[in-house]
Amino acid sequence: MVYELGLDVDALTAIDTHVHIEVGDDGHNALPQPLVDAASKYFKTDAPRPGLDEIADMYRERSMAAVVFTVDASRNLNHRPNSSEEIARGATRNNDVLIPFGSVDPTRGTGAITQAERLANDFGVRGFKFHPTVQNFNPSDEQFYPLWAALQDLGLPALFHTGQTGIGSGLPGGFGLKLGLSNPMLLDNVAADFPELAIIMAHPSVPWQDEALAVATHKQNVYIDLSGWSPKYFPENLVRQANSVLQDKVLFGSDFPLISPDRWLKDFADLNFKDSVRPKILKDNAVRLLGLLA
């Protein structure tokens, strides 16, 4: 069954554009246990990772929608990924609150393209999630350009992790994960060479926040989601730009289950945002970018 939107957009209070399905229907975790433990320590949470239907219930209770996904880093981590097909099926049975994104491993070459096209055409995913550091690839390397071209042809957005990550944080060698692969400047080439591909830079891009703001300001097809950090820790320049020149290009995202939407929204309410900008960040920009009224 192909996913179809079932959202009552007018009734939604917000759209969370960044929610991980960390545990599959079979109980399998998307990451090796040392990385799960390191992320829990980094984010100061030891709460259990909920399954997809539990997440749907939580967002339904809040009259919110959520973009849900996993990350396929099977080659770099030597760990079986969770199933994007399963996530799409779960979103289909919860299509009043969930919007599925797919994930493919770019290092698989033509196999990644075939899988992306299958997820889009046969399962109805509405975008794709990538984590260059965890998947161990440089998005600006032209060997990956055929994949970006395929996503551009499909008309689906690509969501890239940027900046520091809690995955592997504090472990020897950071579990071998390389932060530089998530420098947002690497996405500038992609945005320039694929102008019809909508690119979402996930998270405040510390320590490269100025670079992220520059790319989002310069490239019409680049957006920023605000997930992964409590808003009270947002860099001042990010808040200033989101409240002004980038007000139509910034999206609410929590990074649940590591940060809850309740905590994010509580801290966001304390920031000095214009009344005209808040609804754009919380819902309106995502509605437009994701084509939720189409």
Side-chain angles (χ1 to χ4, degrees):
M1 180 180 295
V2 179
Y3 172 85
E4 294 182 358
L5 288 169
L7 307 175
D8 181 353
V9 172
D10 290 339
L12 296 174
T13 60
I15 297 171
D16 188 339
T17 60
H18 201 111
V19 175
H20 290 266
I21 304 297
E22 293 198 1
V23 179
D25 290 347
D26 61 355
H28 177 72
N29 202 298
L31 293 172
Q33 195 61 45
L35 293 182
V36 175
D37 295 341
S40 296
K41 182 178 180 180
Y42 180 85
F43 285 97
K44 297 181 174 62
T45 178
D46 56 2
R49 306 300 201 255
L52 182 144
D53 290 312
E54 186 178 350
I55 288 173
D57 288 341
M58 186 192 80
Y59 280 89
R60 191 175 289 116
E61 290 170 0
R62 290 158 175 76
S63 297
M64 294 167 56
V67 174
V68 291
F69 48 73
T70 188
V71 175
D72 181 350
S74 50
R75 296 185 78 179
N76 189 45
L77 299 181
N78 193 28
H79 181 82
R80 175 171 66 88
N82 283 349
S83 167
S84 288
E85 293 87 349
E86 180 182 285
I87 290 173
R89 286 191 289 266
T92 296
R93 65 176 178 264
N94 293 285
N95 71 341
D96 59 317
V97 290
L98 298 186
I99 304 161
F101 272 27
S103 181
V104 299
D105 188 338
T107 67
R108 294 191 179 277
T110 58
I113 296 172
T114 299
Q115 185 183 7
E117 291 173 342
R118 177 172 174 267
L119 286 169
N121 296 326
D122 296 348
F123 290 87
V125 302
R126 308 282 297 193
F128 286 87
K129 160 70 183 207
F130 300 97
H131 197 309
T133 291
V134 172
Q135 293 175 305
N136 194 33
F137 78 101
N138 178 343
S140 70
D141 191 319
E142 292 189 5
Q143 69 175 299
F144 304 114
Y145 271 29
L147 178 56
W148 312 146
L151 299 190
Q152 181 174 253
D153 290 344
L154 289 167
L156 296 177
L159 170 63
F160 291 87
H161 171 93
T162 65
Q164 185 175 345
T165 180
I167 306 301
S169 180
L171 296 179
F175 207 75
L177 303 180
K178 301 174 178 67
L179 296 179
L181 295 172
S182 292
N183 187 322
M185 283 305 298
L186 298 178
L187 297 173
D188 186 64
N189 287 1
V190 181
D193 293 335
F194 298 93
E196 301 303 317
L197 175 64
I199 294 172
I200 306 168
M201 298 186 294
H203 317 309
S205 302
V206 175
W208 302 293
Q209 189 60 68
D210 285 334
E211 287 89 336
L213 294 172
V215 175
T217 301
H218 190 256
K219 300 296 190 294
Q220 182 271 339
N221 52 319
V222 175
Y223 299 77
I224 295 174
D225 89 30
L226 298 174
S227 65
W229 293 65
S230 164
K232 67 182 178 181
Y233 298 121
F234 285 174
E236 181 181 348
N237 53 350
L238 173 59
V239 175
R240 183 174 61 252
Q241 296 279 61
N243 207 20
S244 56
V245 296
L246 292 178
Q247 62 183 274
D248 296 319
K249 304 183 72 178
V250 176
L251 312 164
F252 160 45
S254 67
D255 214 5
F256 187 75
L258 294 173
I259 295 178
S260 75
D262 294 343
R263 176 190 176 190
W264 193 100
L265 291 168
K266 177 180 179 295
D267 290 344
F268 180 68
D270 293 335
L271 293 181
N272 186 28
F273 273 95
K274 301 172 185 174
D275 290 341
S276 60
V277 171
R278 288 184 182 276
K280 291 182 177 184
I281 294 174
L282 293 177
K283 185 174 80 169
D284 296 346
N285 292 341
V287 170
R288 186 182 67 257
L289 173 60
L290 300 177
L292 301 184
L293 291 179

